[in-house]
Amino acid sequence: MSGPLVLGIETSCDETGAGLVRGRELLADSVATSMDEHSRFGGVVPEVASRAHLEAMVPVLDAAFARAGVKPSEIDAVAVTAGPGLAGALLVGVAAAKAYAYGLGKPLYGVNHLAAHVAVDQLEHGPLPSPCVALLVSGGHSSLLEVPDVTGIVKPLGATIDDAAGEAYDKVARVLGLPFPGGPPIDKAAADGNPEAIRFPRAKYHDGTLDFSFAGLKTAVARWAEARRDAGEDVPVADVAASFQEAVADVLTRKAVDACKRNGVGDLVIGGGVAANSRLRAMAAARCEASGIRLRVPRPGLCTDNGAMVAALGASMVAAELPPSPLDVPADSSLPITDVLVR
Amino acid sequence: MLILGLDTATPAVTVALHDGERPLAQLVTVDARRHAELLAPAISRVIADAGATRTDLTAIVAGVGPGPYTGLRVGLVTGRVLGAALGIPVYGLCSLDVIAADVEPPGTGFLVATDARRREVYWASYDAEGNREDGPAVNAPADVPRRGRPVAGEGARLYPSSLPGDIGPAYPAATTLCRMAAFALASGDSSRLLPPEPLYLRRPDAREPGAPKRVSQ
Ligand SMILES: [Zn+2]
């Protein structure tokens, strides 16, 4: 299979990513993360992330080209996350992408990070059905989108009104004495727990919207654990983790299936770091099956932030012959999802 | 020799092209909030204005600050990545030294101070010949050991009571950056140039969390 050869650069949070995609074929996905430097602070420190992006950028680019076995001069375009994300972190990637595009004499595409999370699934499961519904869940975002055309038309259906789902994982992990980021250790602890041991609240479950809220759930878990400790009892970490995870997966998958049904859409794509969660994947598979919805979830390595997803979206834009972004394209930390390509 | 110079360590986005003997083109835009938007178009413009093309470049030199982090990083990542794309070396120079090189010799030692935000300045001190004696460092304007000497750089304009005796210029000039790099390279001694590493001078603001706060009373 051939198609445009596109370099994608991603720096919206703690991952410095450079990916190379030809058409819908993944050639290389090179990622450096500063997560180790953030873990002792219990959250991503923007300035630490930005400093790490500067140091990692050229090595990550070099590694991507070496792995793909292509020369920089062979690429057709450079795509970069222009937003949303951490302002200072985005700027490093955007400046790098401009320098690379200008230095090689190639067009530049400043793209939306959330649309890239959807587009990456094409690398594994082929062209996206039109339209599809996308559920994007990570430490930074929790959104439901209707996607008629990932290169240009993306409509918000719902989003979190407070914490992102991944943030709730991080905060609950802290309450349980588990490390940051909270997703993987909670998933692991939950494997030995009873998901029905504690009935944690499902906020906005019956409110008829496609929005989420996770702040109350996080507080409910903290309050429950405190009560046990105050009573001089141990906190059953596995049961709390499993019950918390059950509540998150229940709300996310219910609303995602709802979004498909209401809009008459038969395909659901899940992306973002929380899409690596085993319970979310299993529950989504069961509920989609029961509702006759086709489910597409990329492998975990492509769900978390990376350059390949940006390259995948950029390659679709080049294939669609969209005009590129100008060299003065800004980074926008609160880029709306409706701005898929920034011009 | 065709050197591209750039500096983003101050509110000025300054870019110049130099053939080793003389400056060919330069562009200066003062806008503290738009470094990333302005820099790449400015580079493209300066190279076009000089009638050159990007593949003619033989070296890049970037101001390494000290300077406010976000803007400073834009210049350094641009320099590093453009150098990687073109396969040419990338050097750094202290941005305060670049300002110092443009000071009209006052016949005495002098200081250079630039805006470090948070009511502080980045500063360094120089002897009458313009050789750096002390710094770079970051301090409140009143805490800079001035010893009665005049001050160049924007710090003199921002804090005239603590840093009086403004002898200008306010910002580093990319043409000067190029000239200094050309001189160092022509001497065959690139060790007088710095690696393109940022001079942050401050640690990131981050505090390790204590125990989780109680949510119930
Ligand atoms: Zn993301």
Side-chain angles (χ1 to χ4, degrees):
Chain A
M1 192 182 68
S2 76
L5 175 59
V6 175
L7 167 69
I9 295 176
E10 153 64 33
T11 62
S12 67
C13 191
D14 63 291
E15 266 113 2
T16 314
L20 282 159
V21 165
R22 192 191 301 277
R24 286 189 303 274
E25 183 194 357
L26 176 62
L27 302 184
D29 183 24
S30 167
V31 182
T33 173
S34 53
M35 190 50 85
D36 286 353
E37 296 171 61
H38 303 291
S39 54
R40 70 194 171 99
F41 299 112
V44 171
V45 181
E47 176 61 19
V48 172
S50 298
R51 291 185 183 193
H53 287 313
L54 171 62
E55 296 315 315
M57 184 55 67
V58 171
V60 162
L61 285 168
D62 288 347
F65 281 99
R67 229 167 276 170
V70 297
K71 288 201 285 287
S73 59
E74 293 174 53
I75 63 171
D76 295 301
V78 177
V80 63
T81 297
L86 301 172
L90 286 168
L91 278 175
V92 178
V94 168
K98 289 178 181 183
Y100 220 62
Y102 172 73
L104 297 169
K106 307 292 181 180
L108 172 75
Y109 289 82
V111 309
N112 191 297
H113 179 82
L114 297 181
H117 268 305
V118 183
V120 73
D121 187 61
Q122 299 179 106
L123 303 180
E124 288 218 316
H125 301 119
L128 285 167
S130 174
C132 58
V133 163
L135 170 66
L136 302 181
V137 271
S138 76
H141 23 82
S142 303
S143 312
L144 270 167
L145 312 170
E146 186 182 358
V147 187
D149 173 6
V150 75
T151 66
I153 310 165
V154 178
K155 302 173 187 170
L157 297 175
T160 182
I161 59 163
D162 41 52
D163 293 356
E167 260 180 286
Y169 269 88
D170 295 338
K171 288 172 181 168
V172 165
R174 224 175 130 225
V175 165
L176 296 178
L178 298 170
F180 172 86
I186 287 183
D187 202 3
K188 194 157 170 261
D192 303 319
N194 174 7
E196 279 152 29
I198 310 143
R199 177 73 193 179
F200 287 124
R202 273 87 163 144
K204 302 186 76 61
Y205 201 76
H206 296 292
D207 74 342
T209 74
L210 294 171
D211 290 331
F212 306 104
S213 166
F214 295 104
L217 171 59
K218 157 201 84 186
T219 309
V221 174
R223 198 164 278 153
W224 192 93
E226 259 171 36
R228 291 296 287 254
R229 288 187 182 118
D230 288 350
E233 297 168 37
D234 286 342
V235 175
V237 171
D239 284 350
V240 174
S243 300
F244 160 75
Q245 185 154 288
E246 193 71 8
V248 174
D250 187 11
V251 176
L252 289 173
T253 56
R254 179 196 156 93
K255 298 242 173 181
V257 167
D258 230 37
C260 292
K261 285 183 182 164
R262 283 195 208 181
N263 294 284
V265 173
D267 295 86
L268 174 66
V269 182
I270 305 186
V274 179
N277 182 266
S278 65
R279 187 60 188 132
L280 178 64
R281 292 173 93 100
M283 199 186 284
R287 287 190 171 170
C288 284
E289 164 106 61
S291 300
I293 295 165
R294 287 173 296 275
L295 175 65
R296 298 163 57 123
V297 193
R299 63 180 157 82
L302 293 179
C303 287
T304 48
D305 293 350
N306 58 71
M309 67 190 222
V310 181
L313 179 55
S316 296
M317 288 173 168
V318 175
E321 298 181 354
L322 300 183
S325 306
L327 216 46
D328 66 352
V329 63
D332 182 350
S333 60
S334 52
L335 186 68
I337 180 54
T338 45
D339 292 0
V340 179
L341 171 58
V342 185
R343 277 200 292 263
Chain B
M1 189 183 284
L2 193 64
I3 301 175
L4 175 71
L6 56 96
D7 191 289
T8 57
T10 71
V13 175
T14 165
V15 180
L17 202 62
H18 200 284
D19 68 2
E21 313 242 299
R22 60 194 177 90
L24 304 180
Q26 76 159 326
L27 194 61
V28 182
T29 316
V30 179
D31 186 339
R33 309 194 63 82
R34 294 178 62 228
H35 288 64
E37 287 163 60
L38 297 167
L39 181 59
I43 291 171
S44 167
R45 170 86 182 279
V46 158
I47 292 174
D49 282 355
T53 61
R54 60 183 201 284
T55 49
D56 297 331
L57 295 179
T58 57
I60 297 170
V61 58
V64 299
Y69 320 140
T70 303
L72 177 61
R73 269 192 293 268
V74 166
L76 288 171
V77 80
T78 298
R80 288 186 193 185
V81 172
L82 186 56
L86 295 171
I88 57 174
V90 184
Y91 305 106
L93 280 170
C94 172
S95 301
L96 301 178
D97 289 358
V98 179
I99 294 175
D102 280 340
V103 169
E104 290 291 333
T108 64
F110 63 95
L111 297 178
V112 174
T114 58
D115 188 11
R117 306 205 179 137
R118 304 183 205 175
R119 305 204 58 79
E120 291 188 321
V121 291
Y122 297 115
W123 66 274
S125 65
Y126 298 83
D127 66 18
E129 275 73 54
N131 300 305
R132 178 152 31 106
E133 287 183 326
D134 201 3
V138 59
N139 288 98
D143 297 337
V144 175
R146 196 173 60 82
R147 304 206 311 266
R149 290 165 298 175
V151 184
E154 198 189 11
R157 297 180 191 180
L158 293 172
Y159 302 103
S161 56
S162 299
L163 301 169
D166 182 2
I167 50 169
Y171 304 124
T175 47
T176 307
L177 192 70
C178 289
R179 191 184 74 230
M180 293 166 74
F183 185 77
L185 291 170
S187 74
D189 182 8
S190 62
S191 69
R192 298 172 64 181
L193 297 167
L194 302 172
E197 294 287 343
L199 295 172
Y200 291 122
L201 305 191
R202 291 190 191 117
R203 290 178 180 283
D205 285 329
R207 217 175 299 154
E208 290 183 41
K213 285 196 198 78
R214 280 191 70 87
V215 291
S216 40
Q217 294 307 310

